[in-house]
Amino acid sequence: MQIAYPPDDLMAFCRTIYGPEYSFILTPQAYPVDMGESIAASAQVVKQVQIQSNADFILFALAYDCNAASQSTVAAGSILITDSSTGDPFTAAPVSPAAFATFAGQPATNLPYPRWLGGNTAVTINFANSAAAVVSDLWITLLGVLVKRVGG
């Protein structure tokens, strides 16, 4: 199911978090993370992405891309994403990227509810290749908007 986040709903979401006295500037943002050119069978890769310091980030969706020959191998692996500032994982346990993210070139499947991440925090992405083959050229991308408060 595709979930849309209209601008008015995003503004209401932001007012709930920051208070009604603020206005907001929302800027589309993507944080691409290169997980590696070659991830061996049974290997694990951990990377971090730094959220911009002058704005918070609202995550809508995740996407992944890899070498075409690695698509089924990536789907057999697992991913766990954690907000490094709070230690909160995005899922209760590692999940298949195919279950949690959209493969590049496909229509984006948004998260059921946007996820707020404070500015100047890091997000840890852990990918475990549980397949018997190598994963080539894996990228994970966080998609959403930067939020800057104005006024108040």
Side-chain angles (χ1 to χ4, degrees), residues 13 71 133 151:
F13 180 74
Q71 281 183 354

Side-chain angles (χ1 to χ4, degrees), residues 10-11 13-15 17-18 22-29 31 51-60 114-119 144-150:
L10 287 173
M11 293 295 186
F13 180 74
C14 290
R15 284 187 190 93
I17 294 170
Y18 302 105
Y22 292 103
S23 295
F24 307 96
I25 298 172
L26 304 178
T27 307
Q29 178 73 16
Y31 285 104
I51 303 300
Q52 225 171 282
S53 63
N54 66 344
D56 296 329
F57 181 64
I58 298 176
L59 176 69
F60 297 156
R115 180 154 189 130
W116 180 88
L117 296 163
V145 292
L146 292 173
V147 180
K148 293 183 182 180
R149 288 181 279 182
V150 180

Side-chain angles (χ1 to χ4, degrees), residues 14-93:
C14 290
R15 284 187 190 93
T16 300
I17 294 170
Y18 302 105
E21 66 275 13
Y22 292 103
S23 295
F24 307 96
I25 298 172
L26 304 178
T27 307
Q29 178 73 16
Y31 285 104
V33 181
D34 182 356
M35 299 301 288
E37 289 185 23
S38 180
I39 304 169
S42 301
Q44 183 171 312
V45 177
V46 178
K47 297 283 179 125
Q48 283 196 327
V49 59
Q50 184 71 36
I51 303 300
Q52 225 171 282
S53 63
N54 66 344
D56 296 329
F57 181 64
I58 298 176
L59 176 69
F60 297 156
L62 295 156
Y64 70 97
D65 195 10
C66 62
N67 180 296
S70 295
Q71 281 183 354
S72 61
T73 306
V74 169
S78 63
I79 187 171
L80 181 65
I81 301 175
T82 306
D83 180 340
S84 301
S85 68
T86 64
D88 292 335
F90 286 24
T91 54

